[in-house]
Amino acid sequence: MTEPITVLIADDHPIYRDGLASLLEPLPDIEVVGRAADGIEAVEQARESRPDVVIMDLQMPRLNGIEATRQVLAELPETGVLVITMGEDESTVFSAITAGARGYLLKGADADELVQAIRTVHGGGVVFGASLAQRIARVFAAGPATAAPPAVFPELTEREREILDLVATGLPNGEIATQLYLSPKTVRNNVSAILMKLRARDRSAAIVAAREAGLGRRP
């Protein structure tokens, strides 16, 4: 029997948090393993329960969802973070993505959309609500409103750049996982994030972009 997807819900509004848990708990393929009322609790509970997916609100006390996402993924890179929030401004979307979130839905999303998003994120994919599609396109078209930093692909984390460098040499995910002592799922999740952040339509497009930037040139 397939193990259920373990989910941690982090939201400072108890009615929404408990309502979301009540929605998910009856589903046979999803198990709610924790409920956090702020960002610090989210990080602590994620560390303890090691969930497959964290549903993360952004506006929380003590530690906001962006920083909580960074801390969770620094310790648990295989965990998928699905942001659910009331806000949809472009800077918030970009911040959530660069922090490592692989999904971004508004709290008005219907139950079916939410459940499918959890399953997609758990499977290594990325998902955004339909109402956010145009906003996300503008975010990536414009990029961060700062001067270009010297690092290659500054929107990527250090680990993502390391994986992209190996992808650009033509290595498959399995060999990359072996070289970096990571699980294949971690590599797959990182590759998904890389494609999204680089706006690459597929792996081949990412390889071309990486090689043009000087990556992947190994003996």
Side-chain angles (χ1 to χ4, degrees):
M1 181 177 178
T2 303
E3 292 294 322
I5 301 168
T6 55
V7 175
L8 168 64
I9 302 169
D11 195 292
D12 62 327
H13 293 92
I15 293 177
Y16 185 83
R17 185 175 64 244
D18 294 343
L20 193 54
S22 297
L23 169 70
L24 298 176
E25 285 172 340
L27 300 176
D29 64 331
I30 294 178
E31 177 185 0
V32 177
V33 294
R35 308 182 195 186
D38 58 53
I40 291 178
E41 284 188 11
V43 175
E44 292 174 346
Q45 291 193 31
R47 186 182 296 125
E48 293 173 2
S49 62
R50 306 180 72 85
D52 296 317
V53 176
V54 176
I55 298 176
M56 186 79 74
D57 184 26
L58 295 186
Q59 303 300 324
M60 292 189 293
R62 296 209 294 168
L63 187 69
N64 65 52
I66 298 294
E67 185 56 35
T69 294
R70 292 193 183 99
Q71 292 188 25
V72 167
L73 295 179
E75 295 188 39
L76 304 169
E78 294 187 18
T79 295
V81 174
L82 171 62
V83 168
I84 299 186
T85 184
M86 295 296 294
E88 56 177 330
D89 62 280
E90 294 172 5
S91 62
T92 301
V93 174
F94 190 85
S95 295
I97 294 170
T98 54
R102 293 207 309 275
Y104 194 111
L105 293 180
L106 297 181
K107 285 189 173 179
D110 62 36
D112 290 341
E113 186 178 9
L114 172 62
V115 172
Q116 185 56 48
I118 292 171
R119 292 167 178 159
T120 299
V121 168
H122 174 251
V126 295
V127 60
F128 296 92
S131 66
L132 293 170
Q134 292 183 349
R135 290 177 179 269
I136 292 167
R138 285 199 300 270
V139 167
F140 285 115
T146 58
V152 175
F153 301 125
E155 65 268 48
L156 302 183
T157 65
E158 182 177 352
R159 173 66 79 188
E160 288 167 351
R161 280 192 294 272
E162 184 178 22
I163 289 175
L164 177 60
D165 186 37
L166 293 174
V167 168
T169 67
L171 290 180
N173 287 356
E175 292 187 30
I176 294 173
T178 299
Q179 285 200 25
L180 299 182
Y181 301 98
L182 299 173
S183 73
K185 181 181 177 182
T186 295
V187 173
R188 184 174 68 248
N189 290 346
N190 275 274
V191 170
S192 295
I194 290 166
L195 295 182
M196 179 180 65
K197 291 180 181 181
L198 298 187
R199 309 189 304 278
R201 65 183 181 276
D202 54 28
R203 193 183 185 96
S204 297
I207 290 174
V208 170
R211 288 180 177 174
E212 288 179 347
L215 299 181
R217 297 177 181 177
R218 299 190 174 198

